Amino acid sequence: MRCNSYASDMVDSSHIPPFMDPEQFTKMIDGTGMVSTDPLTAYQKALDAWGEVLAPLAKAGRDKIDPKDHRFSGPQWEHPVFDLVRQGYQVMSDYMMGAAEQLDNIPQAEKAKIGFAIRTVVEAMSPANSPFTNPVALEKAVETKGASLMSGMQHLMHDMQRGQLTHTDPNAFRLGENIAATPGKVVHQTPLYQLLQYEPATPKVLETPLIIFPPWINRFYILDLTAEKSFIKWCVDQGITVFVVSWKSADSSMTDVVWDDYIAAQIDAIDTVRAGLSVDDVHAIGYCVAGTTLAATLAILSANGEAAKVKSATFFTAQVDFSQSGELLNFIDEHQLKMIEALAAPQGYLDGRFLALTFNMLRGKDLIWSTVVKNYLLGEEYPAFDLLHWNGDVTNLPAKWHREYLCDLYRDNKLVVPGALSALDTPIDLTKVNTPTYIQAGREDHIAPVESVWKLKDHFSGPIRFILAGSGHIAGVVNPPVLQKYQYWANEKDTATLAEFIEGATETKGSWWPDWLTWLKQGSDKTVAVKGARVPGKGTLKALESAPGSYVKAR
């Protein structure tokens, strides 16, 4: 009794604001002195009660909010309670990121790693990621009587079982039907790749065929999504005989595969197309890491007096000089290399889900946390989005080659040092490459930054056309003319630096694909009739199976 009496003497209940007195607050919720039985009404009135008191404080700090941060764009975040929550997060976020920038006596590379790590933590700490501090999720949970959270929990459990975030409806796309559906045949196969030839769509085609080398860290059909977005179909429709390499996803049989094997595969594919169509040369495209390899392939062909096999080379967001290769450098140190070795050791290959997580972390807000909010907190159904479907269709990598790639190229940057690397018993010297070259970079590319892609110009010796496309590593490439999206910049003068290129560049709205086609035909626009070997399976290259083939379906 003495304790209770002492407590009551210390606190005068008449001076307690209603929203801090449990008994008064309960009555205030309904406004009639009765507790509301409607959860949504009770929830809203409780917020409003706090909002009346906190509104002036929230209004005073609203200038701290970044209007471009879509995590807090919902109108529910305008409520003073949650407005203060997001403001507090913004202040904390700015402080932590600013502290990383102000670190002294630390090498720039280490500072970049620390900044990346802090940014990753800060993104994870966002109040938008919690069902208790995300007003949109709270409101939906109340409206659905918890069904949204239950659905989100089911999504979470499913993703935990598969060990990977789900971004799209897994049943929305079927290879060969509504994605990767451009008609063609597999006409050549090795243990490392299948070679696809596509059926012509015009009575005549360019005499020189095109062979595309997509990155082996992803499935080839990024260039053959739905028919409207397919670069492969567009090329076929322009009267080009198109071949595409479909790499095999690594398994235990590929433990000893190294870079030499991928270079040998590119040369084999080039020779196979030349022999199959009885032509002297081919046009070649290398995308991302396959572009890096194509550069080495061209150097080896040049060293062996066989440069004429490739009439022109096109590089999509490809790097050869890794001195400015962006945030992926944050994953290249001895500790992480040892972790990768440990992950790959049992089976001799690196599970593609690890690499997918790495790339997702580069855009954590968009590819990780927005997915967490939509799928787990709001319990939304997955959308049918072909590009994200492809993004989640991961491939495994040969462990031995992957480690060499990280060490020799990203860490040590040996490819641009003449003779520092060899393949197929031939020293690699990029300065010996005189092949006419078209280089495409993405202005917002976070995987192959434009500053890094530009450096390819510093190492090749032949004529080069460089264009800067709007958007990033994927959308900057997969931008068909029919969609009229983004833009590209070109500079017809011979510019020595990227800054000089940008300063004098001319912007063109829409896709850069027609510009590339015009450039391609400048070398030769001679055409031939579609007959014999120009039809998949009708020449010496026999049809083994229909496109997209079996390698792309192997998991």
Side-chain angles (χ1 to χ4, degrees):
M1 291 293 294
R2 293 181 62 187
C3 290
N4 292 340
S5 175
Y6 179 75
S8 63
D9 290 341
M10 292 291 293
V11 180
D12 184 355
S13 61
S14 65
H15 292 88
I16 299 177
F19 58 83
M20 295 184 65
D21 184 330
E23 182 178 353
Q24 295 297 320
F25 180 69
T26 302
K27 294 178 180 180
M28 184 179 64
I29 289 176
D30 185 60
T32 63
M34 301 295 291
V35 178
S36 173
T37 58
D38 180 357
L40 183 58
T41 300
Y43 164 73
Q44 189 60 55
K45 289 191 174 183
L47 283 180
D48 291 344
W50 281 98
E52 289 180 9
V53 177
L54 298 176
L57 184 60
K59 183 179 180 180
R62 194 159 291 159
D63 59 345
K64 300 181 179 67
I65 300 302
D66 180 4
K68 297 180 181 179
D69 194 337
H70 299 299
R71 292 175 295 179
F72 308 113
S73 60
Q76 293 87 342
W77 287 100
E78 298 297 328
H79 191 284
V81 172
F82 296 104
D83 197 359
L84 284 173
V85 170
R86 65 175 176 173
Q87 286 181 35
Y89 169 74
Q90 187 69 59
V91 171
M92 180 272 296
S93 174
D94 291 345
Y95 174 79
M96 292 181 68
M97 295 304 299
E101 284 294 325
Q102 295 171 14
L103 291 173
D104 295 326
N105 302 319
I106 294 180
Q108 187 58 39
E110 290 303 313
K111 184 183 289 190
K113 289 180 183 179
I114 293 172
F116 178 80
I118 291 176
R119 190 189 79 194
T120 302
V121 172
V122 166
E123 288 177 351
M125 294 172 62
S126 170
N129 301 336
S130 170
F132 303 107
T133 51
N134 186 324
V136 182
L138 279 170
E139 183 177 284
K140 188 168 186 180
V142 173
E143 290 177 345
T144 62
K145 296 181 171 56
S148 60
L149 291 177
M150 289 298 296
S151 177
M153 182 60 67
Q154 292 175 349
H155 291 162
L156 173 61
M157 296 301 295
H158 175 263
D159 285 357
M160 291 179 66
Q161 290 176 350
R162 72 191 292 258
Q164 184 183 354
L165 282 172
T166 300
H167 290 97
T168 63
D169 180 356
N171 300 314
F173 299 101
R174 295 171 299 280
L175 290 175
E177 296 182 28
N178 60 352
I179 196 170
T182 302
K185 302 291 183 183
V186 175
V187 295
H188 180 63
Q189 178 174 313
T190 76
L192 191 56
Y193 77 94
Q194 287 185 324
L195 183 65
L196 282 63
Q197 180 182 358
Y198 290 91
E199 295 181 6
T202 55
K204 288 189 175 183
V205 292
L206 289 178
E207 180 182 41
T208 304
L210 170 67
I211 181 167
I212 302 174
F213 298 107
W216 54 85
I217 60 176
N218 300 110
R219 307 289 177 173
F220 82 88
Y221 64 86
I222 183 57
L223 297 175
D224 192 24
L225 294 172
T226 54
E228 185 181 52
K229 298 179 183 177
S230 173
F231 177 77
I232 290 172
K233 183 179 185 301
W234 182 83
C235 288
V236 170
D237 290 344
Q238 307 311 307
I240 301 175
T241 302
V242 179
F243 291 81
V244 174
V245 163
S246 174
W247 302 104
K248 183 179 180 181
S249 180
D251 56 27
S252 56
S253 69
M254 297 170 63
T255 301
D256 295 323
V257 167
V258 292
W259 202 19
D260 299 48
D261 297 295
Y262 284 99
I263 293 174
Q266 289 192 341
I267 295 174
D268 177 65
I270 291 169
D271 287 340
T272 298
V273 171
R274 290 173 58 247
L277 268 58
S278 299
V279 294
D280 295 329
D281 50 29
V282 302
H283 297 296
I285 292 177
Y287 192 168
C288 190
V289 295
T292 306
T293 306
L294 178 60
T297 297
L298 295 176
I300 289 175
L301 290 176
S302 296
N304 294 331
E306 300 176 316
K309 289 182 177 181
V310 179
K311 191 178 191 66
S312 77
T314 298
F315 294 86
F316 294 168
T317 64
Q319 305 170 93
V320 297
D321 187 328
F322 291 80
S323 59
Q324 292 183 264
S325 53
E327 290 188 329
L328 279 175
L329 288 173
N330 296 323
F331 295 89
I332 315 299
D333 58 34
E334 284 304 318
H335 173 73
Q336 300 203 51
L337 290 173
K338 288 180 180 179
M339 180 181 67
I340 292 172
E341 286 182 355
L343 289 171
Q347 65 273 9
Y349 62 87
L350 184 66
D351 192 314
R353 291 174 294 183
F354 173 81
L355 195 65
L357 176 61
T358 300
F359 285 122
N360 286 345
M361 287 176 67
L362 298 179
R363 293 179 57 197
K365 284 195 294 187
D366 297 326
L367 295 178
I368 296 179
W369 297 114
S370 67
T371 299
V372 167
V373 172
K374 292 177 182 177
N375 296 351
Y376 302 163
L377 304 191
L378 300 179
E380 295 180 358
E381 292 302 316
Y382 297 112
F385 188 4
D386 54 356
L387 195 150
L388 284 180
H389 174 88
W390 165 85
N391 187 63
D393 193 358
V394 300
T395 57
N396 305 324
L397 305 180
K400 187 175 181 180
W401 160 227
H402 184 58
R403 192 185 194 288
E404 291 179 356
Y405 184 85
L406 296 179
C407 293
D408 291 343
L409 302 185
Y410 270 95
R411 187 188 67 185
D412 300 335
N413 203 23
K414 292 181 178 180
L415 184 56
V416 292
V417 179
L421 290 177
S422 295
L424 307 178
D425 299 320
T426 304
I428 297 174
D429 184 353
L430 299 183
T431 66
K432 302 299 183 183
V433 177
N434 294 300
T435 307
T437 298
Y438 189 100
I439 301 173
Q440 176 268 338
R443 183 180 61 171
E444 300 165 14
D445 196 330
H446 62 290
I447 295 175
V450 57
E451 296 83 1
S452 185
V453 175
W454 169 268
K455 286 180 173 292
L456 182 58
K457 285 172 56 67
D458 297 335
H459 301 285
F460 280 9
S461 301
I464 294 176
R465 179 168 179 77
F466 179 92
I467 66 102
L468 178 60
S471 197
H473 197 70
I474 304 300
V477 174
V478 185
N479 183 24
V482 67
L483 295 184
Q484 282 298 300
K485 293 182 66 176
Y486 310 123
Q487 67 284 102
Y488 71 93
W489 292 265
N491 192 328
E492 304 308 325
K493 296 181 180 179
D494 185 15
T495 54
T497 65
L498 178 60
E500 186 181 342
F501 170 89
I502 293 174
E503 183 179 359
T506 300
E507 178 181 349
T508 301
K509 298 295 184 182
S511 174
W512 54 269
W513 293 5
D515 179 83
W516 168 78
L517 182 63
T518 299
W519 172 86
L520 193 77
K521 290 182 177 180
Q522 285 177 354
S524 174
D525 59 358
K526 182 179 178 181
T527 60
V528 296
V530 171
K531 60 181 180 179
R534 295 288 171 163
V535 179
K538 299 300 183 180
T540 57
L541 298 176
K542 301 303 180 183
L544 305 179
E545 59 178 309
S546 295
S550 54
Y551 277 14
V552 73
K553 300 174 183 178
R555 298 293 176 264

